[in-house]
Amino acid sequence: MPRRLSDVAAFAGVSVATVSRVLHDKPGIAQATRDSVLTALDVFGYERPQKLRNDRAPLIGLVLPELQNPIFPAMAELLVTELIRHNLLPVLCTRTADGLPEAHYVEMLLAQNVGGIVFIGSSYADAGPAQVKALRERKLPIVLINAADENLDVPRVCVDDGVAVQQALGHLRALGHERIGLILGPVGHVPSARKLAAYAAHAEERGDLGWRSLVAHTIFSMQGGANAAGRLVGGEGVTALVCASDALALGAIRAVRKLGLRVPADVSVVGFDDSSLMNVTDPPLTTVRQPIAAMGGAAVAALMSQIHGHVVPVDEVLFDPELIVRGSTGMCAGGAAR
């Protein structure tokens, strides 16, 4: 038992006396209050009393592909707050330097009798055939946020990637840019494929049949963005770049400068996510913001519905992004804003 019950009481939002009554299994305590105290004990790493150890709040796995991209820890932080508010205990699982795959984490979570899993920017299909079979057999509550694959048979919460590209292209066209490059993640990555479809439709509507040479696929990193931008700016002569992540956009800006050009005087750059600190980069990054608070809330709501035994539609829930204009975009040199 903790020496300072005040820590547990403060976290649970109750009095020390109430914590003591829960610990001694006294009657007259609302179930919601009891759950809050028990969850607080779990969060602080304290052992519950023996008679309460079978009454643990369900563990919820949060599976992320990485933590280097700031959007993933930002989303995880929102989900953690929301899950704890529902008396659920989050367990963060992400690929490490050793490259532990989703299958490893899913196997561990299943062994802990986990109450549900949220996959962020990943795919439960990546867990492997045996783990997917186990998930299906247990009918485990699952929600996917911005899934890397289609996963048509599970609840999904996604930003509308097509709208994001339309917003970015509309902004750049209004600034006079005609030759606009697109930097995406790997081939087969669903959010990138959706961005590509919107870009292709926009180009073909304008009669631009040479758009394929202005598209680059790469890994989601600053170096990937730099490599792709070097080819598109140096080799294809684009005057603007739309990037599938803020990290790609920052790498693109670095590459533009290595070519002796300026952002945005010579090349405009648009990112995607509006992750932390993008308003203080040099220049501040124009980007398309994901509404992660609304998306996280919808994901937790879908998870809670499943936990409570309700049937949840597997239709995809799409959220509109928002273009945030900052200093990395400007009028095309020699062009006129429209």
Side-chain angles (χ1 to χ4, degrees):
M1 286 296 95
R3 295 179 181 177
R4 294 183 59 191
L5 295 183
S6 58
D7 292 339
V8 174
F11 187 90
V14 299
S15 67
V16 173
T18 298
V19 173
S20 179
R21 292 182 65 192
V22 171
L23 294 177
H24 291 90
D25 201 21
K26 298 293 185 182
I29 302 294
Q31 186 61 46
T33 300
R34 186 182 300 275
D35 290 342
S36 294
V37 172
L38 295 177
T39 299
L41 289 171
D42 293 337
V43 169
F44 281 97
Y46 296 124
E47 285 291 339
R48 299 183 181 201
Q50 184 65 43
K51 57 188 173 184
L52 298 176
R53 288 181 187 175
N54 293 328
D55 192 26
R56 286 187 177 275
L59 299 175
I60 303 297
L62 301 181
V63 180
L64 298 82
E66 52 147 327
L67 292 176
Q68 298 301 312
N69 186 337
I71 197 64
F72 291 134
M75 179 69 80
E77 182 179 12
L78 285 165
L79 290 169
V80 164
T81 301
E82 191 71 9
L83 289 169
I84 289 176
R85 190 173 69 83
H86 286 281
N87 299 313
L88 299 170
L89 187 61
V91 179
L92 186 64
C93 304
T94 186
R95 288 180 181 167
T96 65
D98 297 328
L100 292 177
E102 278 85 352
H104 175 82
Y105 287 119
V106 170
E107 188 173 335
M108 291 178 63
L109 291 170
L110 290 173
Q112 294 298 318
N113 199 29
V114 68
I117 303 177
V118 179
F119 292 88
I120 307 168
S122 184
S123 168
Y124 91 111
D126 293 336
Q131 286 74 20
V132 169
K133 180 181 179 182
L135 292 172
R136 291 181 183 278
E137 289 177 348
R138 293 195 190 187
K139 297 181 179 180
L140 192 71
I142 295 174
V143 180
L144 281 66
I145 301 177
N146 290 338
D149 297 320
E150 288 293 355
N151 300 293
L152 300 178
D153 55 348
V154 293
R156 290 155 292 145
V157 174
C158 305
V159 67
D160 195 323
D161 294 289
V163 169
V165 167
Q166 291 168 9
Q167 291 177 348
L169 291 175
H171 171 61
L172 293 170
R173 296 287 185 196
L175 293 171
H177 294 277
E178 295 293 332
R179 200 159 179 80
I180 303 171
L182 180 67
I183 301 179
L184 299 170
V187 174
H189 178 250
V190 164
S192 293
R194 293 178 176 182
K195 291 181 176 72
L196 177 59
Y199 178 88
H202 178 87
E204 291 173 1
E205 284 177 5
R206 296 171 57 85
D208 181 5
L209 301 181
W211 59 267
R212 288 176 179 81
S213 65
L214 306 184
V215 176
H217 288 274
T218 186
I219 59 173
F220 279 107
S221 69
M222 289 183 62
Q223 188 59 53
N227 293 341
R231 179 180 74 79
L232 293 176
V233 175
E236 298 293 338
V238 303
T239 64
L241 292 165
V242 176
C243 304
S245 77
D246 291 338
L248 290 173
L250 294 179
I253 291 173
R254 177 185 296 176
V256 169
R257 288 174 172 161
K258 283 188 176 181
L259 290 170
L261 301 174
R262 299 163 296 167
V263 175
D266 300 306
V267 180
S268 289
V269 178
V270 179
F272 178 76
D273 286 334
D274 194 28
S275 45
S276 61
L277 305 180
M278 292 305 104
N279 61 328
V280 294
T281 56
D282 180 24
L285 185 66
T286 293
T287 186
V288 182
R289 175 183 294 165
Q290 292 200 59
I292 60 174
M295 293 169 65
V300 172
L303 189 74
M304 293 301 300
S305 292
Q306 294 176 73
I307 289 173
H308 292 150
H310 303 306
V311 176
V312 178
V314 295
D315 295 337
E316 189 174 55
V317 179
L318 288 177
F319 285 81
D320 283 341
E322 178 186 3
L323 178 69
I324 306 298
V325 179
R326 298 193 180 105
S328 66
T329 52
M331 287 183 58
C332 180
R338 292 184 283 113

